[in-house]
Amino acid sequence: AAAEEPVQVEERRCPEGRAFGRGCKVAMRFGELVDRIEGGETRLYLTTQELPLLSGGGEALLAPPLSALREKLPLRPRLAGSLCPQSLNLWYGRTDLREGTTSGLHHD
């Protein structure tokens, strides 16, 4: 289900340098992103996706590709404790460990 979800993926290809966060995004299916990252691709990074608007106003809790997994995800994960999430996103990428760039488990 999530493999078919359209996502905006940051691509490290900008002329300004190698860093992410420069606004260079490409559209693809989430399944294509997974395949490319599993194949060793290190220039793609899934970051915060735009939250869909609800028919009654406001934004949805889950952004793609997590929205396709709504029935399988707890809306209040135990990891969050007593916190009530405002939105849930998936950040996903791969690094070349020789570059020394990693990010541990965290919340924003």
Side-chain angles (χ1 to χ4, degrees):
E4 297 303 317
E5 286 291 303
V7 291
Q8 292 291 315
V9 178
E10 204 168 337
E11 184 175 25
R12 188 171 50 188
R13 63 170 166 79
C14 296
E16 301 91 38
R18 297 182 44 135
F20 288 113
R22 305 259 188 224
C24 298
K25 293 194 175 187
V26 295
M28 66 179 65
R29 291 177 309 100
F30 181 64
E32 178 186 349
L33 173 65
V34 170
D35 290 343
R36 290 177 64 180
I37 287 176
E38 285 182 354
E41 177 67 65
T42 61
R43 294 174 297 151
L44 299 174
Y45 189 45
L46 179 71
T47 61
T48 302
Q49 301 294 295
E50 189 172 324
L51 289 167
L53 295 176
L54 300 172
S55 60
E59 295 176 329
L61 176 67
L62 299 170
L66 295 179
S67 52
L69 304 172
R70 187 182 190 292
E71 300 302 320
K72 298 179 187 233
L73 293 173
L75 297 181
R76 287 186 72 177
R78 280 188 289 163
L79 178 67
S82 63
L83 299 175
C84 183
Q86 177 184 347
S87 64
L88 298 174
N89 271 281
L90 175 66
W91 292 47
Y92 179 61
R94 179 183 188 132
T95 188
D96 182 338
L97 292 177
R98 294 173 291 183
E99 293 179 15
T101 55
T102 62
S103 177
L105 178 63
H106 65 281
H107 68 85
D108 294 328

